[in-house]
Amino acid sequence: MKNRIKELAKAYAPAFIDIRRHIHAHPELSFQEYETSKFIQQKLDEFGVSYKAGIAGTGIIALIAGKNPGSRTIALRADIDALPITEANDVSYKSTNNGVMHACGHDVHTTCVLGAVKILHELRDELEGTVKILFQPGEEKHPGGASIMIEEGALENPRPDAILGMHVQPTMEAGKLGFRAGKYMASADEIYITIKGKGGHAATPHLTVDTILVASQLVVSLQQIISRNNNPFSPSVLSICAFNGGFTTNVIPSEVKLMGTFRAMDETWRFKAHELIRKQAVGIAEAMGATIDIQILVGYPTLYNNEEVTAKARGFAEDYLGLSQVEDTEIRMGAEDFAFYSQIVPACFFRLGTGNIARGITSGVHTPTFDIDERAIEVGMGTMAYLATQF
């Protein structure tokens, strides 16, 4: 099976590089992936794979049934949306949608899973059980397409025994994979704070409530929640990223708005921190005579890689690519809505190397110059197919 998958991945790689370029050139924002969804459906029709479209709007669920289809179900997930970034690369497949770019590699994820689908469908008579494929919209936007896919039954009928997903890694050379078991990526919540008070002349601060000062005290004070309440062996980040208030040099404004993000690797601490943030914010505002409105928008949960599933996936990857091509990868405070799946079924989310230092392909994700060494396509589609056959 391994050699057959390698042969097919190598043979089909040029065609799927073209597919990746097409998807890259036609990016669409989260929950607006209408043409991308149509393109994926067209390819599934060409492959002869059955599917259901319209999940979470533009999502697709496909099924490949092998021998004894009820014996096991392995799910593969690809996200299909792009980012509101203007591409700066001078390439033939540069984005044709101004201000929108596949700067996070979702074009690669979709292509590799499509490639795995083609391979698995051709080998279905040798495949044990069922492979379920999720082409998911809206990874980059709250509430995350994964949560909606789950609400609409993506993990049922049949329910996967395990789910696999991958993400591009520009700091890892193309041809390599990275794995990490356990807590892998952070939860991500959004914080919105509005501080109000009586504004007035800067020369008479005693007649006002200085909202700028209140907000400044709050920004500094909130950091103590992390430094003095969180277990230092459990990573957590609180960043206030927007401070908006005032309009001139001599007027104390009546309103200041703050926005930020809170990240954690522990779900219990995550929600305890929410309480502490609210309590501290209200206390400081009231002590200084201001009123405050605070909203914490609960986002993606912690992404947890099941130890057993990840150990198996890593072992199979080492068998497929060779021991030297598989590496440990580090904990990340970035967030991924694949985490919603990982909270429900045993999951493994791993990294696909896409960089090439010698060729200068080193730009990070979410940048206007992100691109990949396209040798990664053959590795990604072949690995995904092989992992799906081995569980």
Side-chain angles (χ1 to χ4, degrees), residues 79-82 102 104-111 139-140 167:
D79 39 11
I80 67 175
D81 56 325
H102 271 296
C104 199
H106 296 188
D107 53 335
V108 179
H109 309 161
T110 298
T111 299
E139 191 280 325
E140 299 285 359
H167 199 291

Side-chain angles (χ1 to χ4, degrees), residues 191-208:
I191 301 171
Y192 299 91
I193 298 173
T194 301
I195 298 165
K196 294 183 178 181
K198 181 184 177 183
H201 201 294
T204 56
H206 60 293
L207 300 179
T208 73

Side-chain angles (χ1 to χ4, degrees), residues 209-224:
V209 173
D210 192 340
T211 53
I212 295 288
L213 182 59
V214 176
S216 299
Q217 293 275 17
L218 182 56
V219 170
V220 174
S221 177
L222 286 176
Q223 295 305 316
Q224 297 173 24

Side-chain angles (χ1 to χ4, degrees), residues 135-190:
F135 292 100
Q136 176 216 297
E139 191 280 325
E140 299 285 359
K141 186 175 182 180
H142 182 85
S147 66
I148 304 173
M149 294 278 282
I150 291 167
E151 288 175 3
E152 297 188 12
L155 296 182
E156 305 300 334
N157 302 315
R159 187 180 183 87
D161 298 296
I163 185 168
L164 307 174
M166 71 179 180
H167 199 291
V168 296
Q169 178 69 16
T171 58
M172 183 182 293
E173 287 287 293
K176 292 180 177 287
L177 298 176
F179 289 84
R180 186 180 189 90
K183 295 174 183 176
Y184 178 42
M185 296 182 72
S187 61
D189 303 314
E190 298 175 5

Side-chain angles (χ1 to χ4, degrees), residues 4 6 50 107 128 181 258 319 321 362:
R4 183 67 178 132
K6 283 190 172 183
S50 62
D107 53 335
E128 181 70 26
L258 305 175
D319 179 48
L321 293 175
T362 58

